[in-house]
């Protein structure tokens, strides 16, 4: 059974720092991996989607990497801002459809 | 992209009652899912809503407790039946779309509190 783990569970950093969020999964036979952002009281916003054949994806200050063989992904956030404060969720798809989620990393960026 | 509208966005429900959540998508989609996020927990898939046939439920979820309808390719409902405080959660509708048909989109969620 696929399990997704995210560490750390919570992270507090001052504005301007670069940071890395980690995600690991137990079954490397994934179809894709997706990083989401969830703001308090809001739904989910997709940040980056990495297909199983890809190694990384970039969007603005965000860079996500995927090492399928080791079952790991990282989300790198450059020059963090207070507006980045949210919960970041990692999820994998094994059938190209429904997702299996980690518990998330709650990020707080102070100004 | 797909725009998903969920109703209600929030509700406070009495124990023992049932509530139906609606999910409307602005385009036809083949795959629709319902997730639950209990307080402090991650998202858990409840079921896949199949158009024109019975939903496919994940382990731990049953049709009597979470009946689902999907009458067409843009609409689905999830009912939470005979609610108890343990059902207090965010319920999210999700669809598969995007240019390659492999991006997953989520609604804003329906925040239910059972008292």
């Amino acid at each position: 059974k696929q399990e997704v783990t995210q560490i750390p569970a919570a992270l507090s950093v001052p504005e301007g720092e670069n940071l890395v969020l980690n995600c690991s999964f137990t079954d490397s036979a994934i179809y894709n991996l997706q990083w989401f952002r969830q703001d308090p009281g809001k739904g989910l916003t997709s940040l980056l989607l990495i297909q199983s054949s890809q190694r990384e994806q970039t969007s603005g200050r965000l860079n996500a990497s995927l090492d399928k063989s080791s079952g790991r992904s990282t989300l790198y956030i450059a020059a963090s801002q207070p507006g980045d404060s949210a919960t970041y969720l990692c999820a994998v798809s094994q059938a190209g459809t429904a997702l299996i989620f980690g518990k998330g990393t709650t990020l707080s960026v102070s100004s | 992209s797909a725009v998903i509208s969920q109703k209600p966005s929030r509700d406070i429900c009495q124990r023992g009652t049932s509530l139906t959540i609606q999910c409307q998508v602005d385009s036809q989609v083949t795959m629709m899912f319902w997730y639950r996020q209990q307080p402090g927990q991650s998202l858990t898939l409840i079921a896949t809503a199949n158009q024109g046939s019975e939903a496919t439920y994940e382990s731990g979820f049953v049709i009597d407790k979470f009946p689902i309808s999907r009458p067409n390719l843009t609409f689905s409902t999830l009912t939470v039946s005979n609610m108890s405080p343990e059902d207090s959660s965010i319920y999210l509708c999700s669809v598969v779309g995007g240019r390659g048909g492999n991006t997953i989109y989520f609604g804003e969620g329906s925040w239910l509190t059972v008292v």
Side-chain angles (χ1 to χ4, degrees):
Chain A
K1 179 183 176 184
Q2 177 75 273
E3 292 184 1
V4 179
T5 302
Q6 290 186 246
I7 54 172
L11 181 63
S12 293
V13 300
E15 183 176 7
E17 270 203 14
N18 302 323
L19 56 99
V20 174
L21 307 181
N22 297 291
C23 172
S24 62
F25 44 95
T26 55
D27 186 345
S28 62
I30 63 170
Y31 184 76
N32 59 44
L33 182 144
Q34 205 159 346
W35 283 92
F36 292 88
R37 168 180 173 145
Q38 186 174 31
D39 292 280
K42 298 288 187 180
L44 276 69
T45 301
S46 178
L47 297 173
L48 290 165
L49 169 68
I50 310 178
Q51 300 295 344
S52 62
S53 59
Q54 298 174 325
R55 299 279 298 180
E56 66 176 348
Q57 284 287 334
T58 298
S59 175
R61 294 183 293 108
L62 305 178
N63 175 275
S65 67
L66 174 63
D67 184 343
K68 201 173 72 165
S69 61
S70 67
R72 295 180 183 179
S73 175
T74 61
L75 178 66
Y76 175 82
I77 302 176
S80 58
Q81 302 171 358
D84 295 330
S85 298
T87 296
Y88 291 81
L89 294 164
C90 168
V92 299
S93 168
Q94 290 192 276
T97 56
L99 294 170
I100 300 169
F101 284 82
K103 291 189 175 182
T105 295
T106 298
L107 172 66
S108 176
V109 181
S110 57
S111 56
Chain B
S1 66
V3 178
I4 304 171
S5 173
Q6 270 189 246
K7 293 180 182 179
S9 57
R10 292 179 181 272
D11 208 340
I12 298 174
C13 310
Q14 295 295 318
R15 186 191 303 244
T17 62
S18 299
L19 182 79
T20 296
I21 303 167
Q22 298 180 359
C23 176
Q24 179 73 54
V25 191
D26 68 343
S27 58
Q28 293 187 342
V29 293
T30 52
M31 307 294 291
M32 293 182 77
F33 308 97
W34 287 97
Y35 288 84
R36 179 176 74 180
Q37 186 177 27
Q38 294 176 301
Q41 301 296 314
S42 189
L43 280 77
T44 302
L45 180 66
I46 297 172
T48 302
N50 302 308
Q51 193 268 327
S53 64
E54 194 171 284
T56 305
Y57 290 85
E58 296 299 305
S59 175
F61 298 96
V62 295
I63 188 171
D64 289 346
K65 176 66 175 177
F66 297 102
I68 289 172
S69 78
R70 185 160 178 211
N72 56 53
L73 294 177
T74 64
F75 185 79
S76 177
T77 66
L78 168 74
T79 299
V80 186
S81 303
N82 188 25
M83 287 186 283
S84 67
E86 291 71 34
D87 294 319
S88 298
S89 296
I90 308 168
Y91 293 87
L92 295 110
C93 171
S94 171
V95 304
V96 176
R99 182 171 295 178
N102 58 8
T103 301
I104 295 186
Y105 300 92
F106 283 84
E108 291 283 303
S110 297
W111 298 62
L112 303 188
T113 301
V114 184
V115 297

